[in-house]
Amino acid sequence: MFTILHLAIIAPFLAAVLVPLLYKFIPRIHTGWFVLIVPIVLFSYFLTYLPDVSGTGSVIKTFEWIPSLGINYVAYVDGLGLLFALLITGIGALVVLYSIYYLNKHKEQLNNFYTYLMLFMGAMLGLTLSDNLIVLYTFWEITSISSFLLISYWYTKEKSRYGALKSLLITFIGGFALLVGFVLIASVTGTYSIRGILDASDQLAASPLFLPAMLLILLGAFTKSAQFPFHIWLPDAMEAPTPVSAYLHSATMVKAGIYLVARLTPLFAVSAYWFWLVTGFGLLTLIWGSLSAIRQTDLKGILAYSTVSQLGMILSMLGAGAAALHYDSVDNNAYTVAVAAAIFHLINHATYKGSLFMMAGIIDHETGTRDIRRLGGLMTLMPISFTIAVIGGFSMAGLPPFNGFLSKEMFFMSMVEITHFSQYGMGSIGLLLPIVAWTASIFTFVYCMILVFRTFTGKLQEEKLPAKPHEAPFGMLLAPLILVALVVVFGFFPNTLVPAIIEPAMASIMPELAQTGSFGVDIYFWHGFSPELFMTIGVVLLGTIIFLVLQKWSSIYAVFPDNRLFNQTYNRFLEGIERTSYTVISWHMTGLVRDYFIYIFSFTVVLLLFSLFGTGAFAIDTANMVPVTPYEAVLSLVLVGSSLILMFTRSRLKAVISLGVLGYTVALFFVLFRAPDLALTQLTIETVSVTLFLLCFYHFPQIFDALKETKFHAANLVISVAVGLTVTLIGLSASGTRLFPAISDYFLENSYKEAGGNNVVNVILVDFRGFDTLLEILVLGIASLGVYSLIKLRLAGGENK
Amino acid sequence: MKYNDVILQTVTKFISFLIFLFAIYIFFNGHQEPGGGFIGGLMTSAALVLLLLAFDMETVRRAMPIDYKTMIAIGLVFGVGTGVGSFFFSTPFLSQTFGYFHFPVLGELELTTTLAFDLGVYLTVVGATMTIIQTIGEDK
């Protein structure tokens, strides 16, 4: 049944249809105001689901789409889905609000913008609230497409088009891998329903398809969530308008991969590969992103790499959380904290990263540049933006009293805890995990400081700025202010989120553990002198030192391989594909019919000989053969002789005449084998065709006379001998094998009885199989009309007659 | 030099008539003896080609003002027509039948619906070959 929940999920799609109409007919009001209603209503609607999903509860509504294939639009709201739905609609509302002030009503094509944005929002809601893998995949690809459209929103800029294409190619490769992975899973478990698949997880774990499915799905998740080394599309996607960057490329779309990893954790987490791949790639991305962010000079560039890095961090926590599933209950289970940290950080990242992007957009809007080398000293001019940047930046760096501090503490805690884990061969290299995490956090701290202090403190360089800087209008500041307010609120009262959102989401990720009791998540600032606290203190101290002496050591970056390496690889890969396919095509598609005949014949010979001898079908049975008479022997010699002349002659006239001899000999064979109708027809037709050949050669241009002789090619000889041999062998084998009696006895018996004719051939032609004859005379008619129009109709060629 | 082909033309007048007769014989006899619409049609065109060789194109056209392209169409209509005709008797497409009838002068004769179909083949073959030959022959 189609319920209100289904309607809510696809409501943005309906809104996308209405947007162009509103834009056209009500041009006086900024279209964004109408659009704003949609996410606000949806956000309030999804808030009402909070009680339903508390604990391990969930809401399932089914609407049949393709029931015969087991593909139904099953809306499934549980803790994890609801968390994402609230993020999507909540941040969506703020982004729409921000975009109303960011995009100019007169200069921009708002109808395009809001249509794409609504498409994206609907797809994202559908992705996170779907129980069916195929439906999930459908929405997954719509997010890729709408993201492509949004990145190339300013399609007249070349960089926008490049970034859009890059993100599309990378996310589509992942998307296809994902589809294959889904199909593999469904082929083992027999269902596309996520709940059904989780129930059958033992079955999948025992299947040989477990590892391929896992790798393919991880490829999909990693490409979407910009994990190393697929992160290269995200910095180029920063050519999109800033509201898009804030929404898609920090808060929602890039978290689709994380959603998928979290959703399928109960299915795959039994495997050590999963743990190592997710945690390993997460940490690698974390440190790579944080190191690369320091190098950037563009505000959005820094934010893009910081997003990459933070996504890696969330993913590594989810990977570490997989260890929790090896315990039977939540009591004394230290690894559930990693999952709690992942979810908490997911929320935190969405809040502060959204606000930072909006801050970057404001700076761009008010000063005309996003280059930190030109910026500086904006603190007194733009105090509210500065406040936003400080709160967002410090939260990202993991400083108290903001929410980033709490989630970073939990991150360290989980990374320290995981070293005690006894499985997966943790003992040898397990200690690396907290060290990498800690190092990456130091660099995170450094780029956060660069972001805040390089932009707002120091000397104002007014002469370098394209516009005179001043504080942004209040409407533009409203959305980031709400987000940083949330950063502070979640920082001081994190436990308000725990029962309503975090624990239900944890229950979705670890359903079996959720049965045994409450997770008992308790987030607080002060938890004694634990290793985490010292790690944070170390981060702040070292980070401050590194930031202060940044000028002295940043030249090291010149030797450190940068992102260009991967971009070059990507570009070379594309060029390579293009060049290779061009080479391959121009190598074998020569345009010469002779070459194509060689392909066709050699393929036929290989295929036929292979199947003839491969299947043991080759057999020569002489039992059914009739003795050869002298007439037949003589005629065969004539036949062979004329064929040889035809092949080796250097004169065209001789060739035509020997072809005629060939034809008349065949007619004689028909006489000999008692086929008078065939003999008559063959004689007449041969005469006509020889005449036509002569006609053609008579009209050949003089220039061809120089090319009279046939050139010898060894390859042609080999292939033609092979073709002849193949056909002969098949003919011999086929004539020796007769599986069924022939139908001809029936014709002989019934020709007069049924059709009143004694000429069996003619009776077959006009009566028994008259339909073939009807179409053959049609062929004849078409051929003659073709000749007529070829000769009479001369449209091109310039010869006006 | 002016040359004269009176022998060719005289012989042709006689021979082509014989070929016509032979073609018609072969056509009507096709159901019982070797022959039929196809070979009959080809022979008829042979007779016409002989005429074309002996006389020029204009003369033949004046003597026999036939549009061979229309002839193809008529032939195909005959072919399809016999097929469609069998629908009137609630039989499948292209069902043929035959019977013996008594005619006043000719006596008892076998008549068959395949004759109409064969006539279609005959006309199409004549039309097609003559269209091809005439078109190519007229091409400068």
Side-chain angles (χ1 to χ4, degrees), chain A residues 397-408:
Chain A
L399 292 175
F402 306 115
N403 57 8
F405 171 73
L406 300 167
S407 49
K408 182 143 290 186

Side-chain angles (χ1 to χ4, degrees), chain A residues 54-322:
Chain A
S54 67
T56 56
S58 61
V59 179
I60 302 159
K61 301 273 197 243
T62 306
F63 174 69
E64 291 198 337
W65 182 25
I66 317 173
S68 57
L69 296 179
I71 299 171
N72 291 315
Y73 179 19
V74 183
Y76 176 54
V77 184
D78 66 345
L80 188 65
L82 187 63
L83 161 66
F84 272 90
L86 288 174
L87 275 181
I88 293 158
T89 48
I91 302 207
L94 294 175
V95 162
V96 171
L97 176 66
Y98 176 74
S99 70
I100 291 171
Y101 290 93
Y102 188 83
L103 293 173
N104 191 301
K105 188 168 65 174
H106 305 292
K107 290 180 195 156
E108 305 285 356
Q109 292 196 302
L110 295 176
N111 50 347
N112 291 349
F113 182 80
Y114 287 110
T115 305
Y116 303 157
L117 201 70
M118 284 295 108
L119 277 182
F120 172 77
M121 189 183 284
M124 211 52 214
L125 278 178
L127 196 164
T128 50
L129 296 179
S130 167
D131 180 54
N132 192 290
L133 288 179
I134 298 296
V135 176
L136 192 153
Y137 171 74
T138 311
F139 284 121
W140 180 285
E141 293 297 32
I142 300 176
T143 62
S144 294
I145 294 167
S146 51
S147 160
F148 167 78
L149 291 169
L150 283 166
I151 296 170
S152 57
Y153 175 65
W154 287 311
Y155 52 82
T156 48
K157 289 203 294 184
E158 200 192 335
K159 278 176 119 179
S160 298
R161 297 198 301 269
Y162 173 77
L165 190 63
K166 194 175 190 178
S167 74
L168 189 77
L169 286 176
I170 293 177
T171 50
F172 265 17
I173 289 171
F176 280 121
L178 195 69
L179 180 63
V180 178
F182 285 168
V183 172
L184 287 185
I185 291 181
S187 72
V188 175
T189 59
T191 172
Y192 282 113
S193 157
I194 292 176
R195 283 170 301 129
I197 286 166
L198 294 188
D199 288 340
S201 58
D202 296 338
Q203 209 180 330
L204 186 70
S207 155
L209 292 179
F210 177 81
L211 195 61
M214 184 179 96
L215 292 177
L216 287 167
I217 285 173
L218 278 184
L219 180 64
F222 284 179
T223 49
K224 196 78 161 179
S225 283
Q227 295 298 295
F228 187 88
F230 308 113
H231 63 278
I232 50 169
W233 67 266
L234 192 63
D236 284 309
M238 290 301 133
E239 293 298 325
T242 302
V244 172
S245 307
Y247 189 40
L248 273 70
H249 306 128
S250 71
T252 52
M253 189 180 88
V254 287
K255 288 187 175 130
I258 286 175
Y259 167 79
L260 199 71
V261 168
R263 179 58 89 195
L264 296 178
T265 291
L267 191 62
F268 289 119
V270 291
S271 157
Y273 292 110
W274 176 267
F275 172 81
W276 280 114
L277 281 173
V278 176
T279 317
F281 271 96
L283 284 175
L284 187 60
T285 314
L286 167 63
I287 193 154
W288 183 266
S290 60
L291 282 171
S292 301
I294 298 175
R295 186 205 301 267
Q296 303 301 313
T297 53
D298 177 26
L299 279 182
K300 277 175 87 175
I302 298 177
L303 289 173
Y305 280 103
S306 95
T307 305
V308 168
S309 155
Q310 304 281 312
L311 290 170
M313 178 172 155
I314 298 174
L315 211 61
S316 70
M317 288 191 272
L318 277 176

Side-chain angles (χ1 to χ4, degrees), chain A residues 676-677 680-682 684-685 688 692 695 752-760 762-763 765-767 770-774 777-778 780-785 787-789 791-792 794 801, chain B residues 26 30-39 42-43 69 72 75-76 79-80 93-94 96-98 100 110 112 114 117-118 120-121 124-125 127-129 131-132 135-136 138-140:
Chain A
D677 292 275
L680 275 172
T681 316
Q682 173 71 19
T684 342
I685 285 293
V688 171
L692 285 176
L695 189 72
Y752 189 77
K753 240 189 281 174
E754 299 278 335
N758 287 315
N759 182 355
V760 183
N762 197 38
V763 167
L765 282 180
V766 296
D767 196 336
F771 196 57
D772 294 352
T773 313
L774 181 64
I777 58 173
L778 183 66
L780 205 63
I782 290 171
S784 63
L785 291 180
V787 169
Y788 180 78
S789 43
I791 289 177
K792 296 279 175 184
R794 283 173 182 160
K801 284 191 177 175
Chain B
I26 267 191
H31 216 49
Q32 308 299 337
E33 304 283 329
F38 201 85
I39 187 71
L42 280 177
M43 294 248 172
K69 294 188 292 298
I72 301 174
L76 286 173
V80 177
F93 187 65
L94 274 177
Q96 312 285 13
T97 181
F98 70 101
Y100 292 91
E110 181 194 348
T112 158
T114 54
F117 186 75
D118 234 8
V121 176
T124 313
V125 171
T129 39
T131 308
I132 293 172
T135 319
I136 296 178
E138 278 173 354
D139 187 42
K140 297 282 160 10

Side-chain angles (χ1 to χ4, degrees), chain A residues 509-686:
Chain A
I509 299 175
M510 301 177 289
E512 283 174 28
L513 285 177
Q515 312 280 323
T516 62
S518 165
F519 290 104
V521 176
D522 192 14
I523 304 169
Y524 45 93
F525 276 113
W526 179 252
H527 36 85
F529 291 103
S530 54
E532 302 89 78
L533 185 66
F534 294 116
M535 283 167 87
T536 305
I537 293 171
V539 165
V540 174
L541 285 179
L542 269 175
T544 315
I545 295 167
I546 291 178
F547 173 65
L548 291 176
V549 295
L550 190 63
Q551 303 291 350
K552 296 195 172 57
W553 67 272
S554 56
S555 54
I556 292 174
Y557 270 120
V559 275
F560 168 71
D562 66 351
N563 203 45
R564 259 179 298 175
L565 188 73
F566 294 100
N567 280 328
Q568 269 172 8
T569 316
Y570 165 82
N571 289 335
R572 287 223 186 93
F573 176 68
L574 281 192
E575 279 167 23
I577 286 180
E578 230 174 86
R579 209 179 314 115
T580 314
S581 55
Y582 179 77
T583 320
V584 170
I585 296 286
S586 49
W587 172 69
H588 80 282
M589 287 284 133
T590 52
L592 295 174
V593 180
R594 193 179 59 214
D595 289 345
Y596 303 151
F597 272 129
I598 289 178
Y599 306 148
I600 294 169
F601 282 131
S602 23
F603 181 75
T604 317
V605 165
V606 169
L607 195 72
L608 287 179
L609 284 184
F610 180 75
S611 46
L612 188 64
F613 290 102
T615 59
F618 181 67
I620 294 180
D621 183 11
T622 50
N624 288 329
M625 291 190 178
V626 290
V628 182
T629 63
Y631 300 114
E632 286 154 14
V634 170
L635 278 186
S636 305
L637 283 179
V638 174
L639 206 67
V640 171
S642 57
S643 327
L644 286 176
I645 293 173
L646 180 62
M647 275 190 287
F648 292 106
T649 182
R650 310 226 148 185
S651 140
R652 288 218 159 92
L653 198 62
K654 274 188 207 157
V656 173
I657 290 170
S658 54
L659 197 66
V661 173
L662 210 75
Y664 287 136
T665 320
V666 171
L668 283 179
F669 262 114
F670 287 145
V671 173
L672 215 55
F673 292 148
R674 284 163 298 172
D677 292 275
L678 289 185
L680 275 172
T681 316
Q682 173 71 19
L683 277 173
T684 342
I685 285 293
E686 196 59 37

Side-chain angles (χ1 to χ4, degrees), chain B residues 15-92:
Chain B
I15 296 275
S16 63
F17 182 66
L18 280 187
I19 301 178
F20 264 126
L21 274 185
F22 183 58
I24 289 164
Y25 166 75
I26 267 191
F27 168 69
F28 278 112
N29 215 21
H31 216 49
Q32 308 299 337
E33 304 283 329
F38 201 85
I39 187 71
L42 280 177
M43 294 248 172
T44 312
S45 340
L48 290 169
V49 169
L50 187 61
L51 284 175
L52 284 176
L53 286 176
F55 303 92
D56 63 313
M57 212 142 279
E58 252 333 289
T59 319
V60 178
R61 186 170 292 160
R62 258 206 319 277
M64 262 177 287
I66 299 169
D67 182 2
Y68 294 106
K69 294 188 292 298
T70 320
M71 202 183 222
I72 301 174
I74 295 170
L76 286 173
V77 166
F78 266 96
V80 177
T82 46
V84 174
S86 56
F87 290 154
F88 293 109
F89 302 95
S90 304
T91 48

